[in-house]
Amino acid sequence: MSTRPVRVVIYGCGNMARVITGYLVDKGAEIVGAIDTDPALVGRDLGEVAGLTEPLGVTISDNAEGVLDATIPDVVVLTLLSLMTDMEPFFEDCASRGINAVSTCEEAFFPWNTSPEITARLDELARRNDCTLLGTGYQDVFWGSLVTATAGATHRIDTIRGYSTYNVDDYGIALAQVHGVGLDLATFDAEIRAAALPSFALNVPPWLAGALGLDVSSMTQELEPIFASGAITSRTLGRELPPHEVIGMLARATAETVQGPTLIMEVVGKVYGPRDVDHNDWIIEGEPRTELVVTEPKTVELTCATTVNRIPQVIDAPAGFITGDQLGPVAYLTGPLTTSLGID
């Protein structure tokens, strides 16, 4: 069967997209367009922005409709914002044109419980136009299939508890904002805690439940601000944060299930100090008890590699808004990123 390189548009050219661009080039994808509204990026070559040794010949444009209509990609990689309320128009840009989209939007990992109306609208639009939408990234493996694979070796599960940390300065301003970075306590309480914004932890228990065949009977979420004992500098905000300003957030999501197991996810996203490192720890309490510890995971790189490796599955998946528990584990790409789409 004849194949050709997968045609990709990068939508959002910030920190994550720079790593993803390099991985796509290494895997032989054809990047046919790049979109961003940042005046500091518009008009520049994507290869230059991504720090590649040579330009790609792809100029970053702020005309999203023009790029999507002119390039007709096989898939769009959306590296933009963290919440579905913000991401809806970008998913819609793709789905309305029948273009597959894979996103690093954290809520998109499993948005059916936190943004059901938005997700249902996008699902219907994608089905109507025969394309697939997916949220993926680090959590797809390290908060998802890694855990469910271990659960498959367990006789009885009482509790599954996860704990993960990451540096908000590695992901850009949108992620820092949903963690309340730079806010005082009163503003955090009003804009984050009282608003009950869906944390990145909140999507994990229902994802795990779906993958394990469990039915969620109740869900709770707790959001706690984190403060440093002294001043700390945020690269993303470009300033020093005094001790009375929030440097991040601890989010805890707990799901009780009809079948009995309790699923708990604790996530800490904050501005790191010099001694902070990423963590990814899981404990399955039951028979037997199993503890998983991933030592200092490279969360940014793992997120980007997962996103690239999901692309063939997204292209081949049924139409609609799909979640990773429906696709199975992410598959390692053993060869170039190619497709037979459009070949006679």
Side-chain angles (χ1 to χ4, degrees), residues 10 13 23 35 58 64 66 69-70 149 183 189-190 200 216 246 249 260 264-265 315 323 326 342:
I10 303 291
C13 301
Y23 288 176
I35 304 165
V58 176
D69 290 340
L183 303 180
D189 285 343
F200 301 164
V216 174
V246 174
M249 180 177 72
I264 304 168
M265 184 65 195
I315 291 174
T323 52
Q326 298 171 273

Side-chain angles (χ1 to χ4, degrees), residues 41-185:
L41 299 177
V42 174
R44 295 173 61 187
D45 185 273
L46 178 63
E48 173 204 346
V49 170
L52 304 184
T53 56
E54 297 181 359
L56 287 176
V58 176
T59 301
I60 299 173
S61 171
D62 58 2
N63 181 0
E65 293 185 357
V67 170
L68 295 176
D69 290 340
T71 57
I72 315 176
D74 300 308
V75 65
V76 174
V77 177
L78 299 167
T79 59
L80 292 157
L81 301 163
S82 297
L83 300 178
M84 289 296 291
T85 51
D86 299 319
M87 283 298 300
E88 182 178 13
F90 304 106
F91 277 122
E92 187 174 345
D93 281 346
C94 301
S96 63
R97 292 171 168 80
I99 300 173
N100 302 307
V102 58
S103 175
T104 58
C105 167
E106 290 82 2
E107 189 186 355
F109 173 59
F110 195 88
W112 290 100
N113 65 313
T114 51
S115 296
E117 293 182 358
I118 291 174
T119 309
R121 284 196 296 271
L122 292 171
D123 180 62
E124 192 280 329
L125 183 62
R127 289 172 185 272
R128 189 185 337 137
N129 292 304
D130 193 27
C131 62
T132 303
L133 310 177
L134 175 80
T136 189
Y138 178 83
Q139 63 270 43
D140 211 338
V141 175
F142 292 89
W143 301 353
S145 56
L146 176 68
V147 184
T148 57
T150 306
T154 307
H155 171 64
R156 187 194 74 253
I157 297 175
D158 300 323
T159 303
I160 299 178
R161 179 186 295 271
Y163 175 76
S164 186
T165 67
Y166 46 86
N167 185 356
V168 298
D169 269 344
D170 290 338
Y171 300 90
I173 189 65
L175 187 138
Q177 288 172 339
V178 297
H179 285 70
V181 176
L183 303 180
D184 58 30
L185 179 57

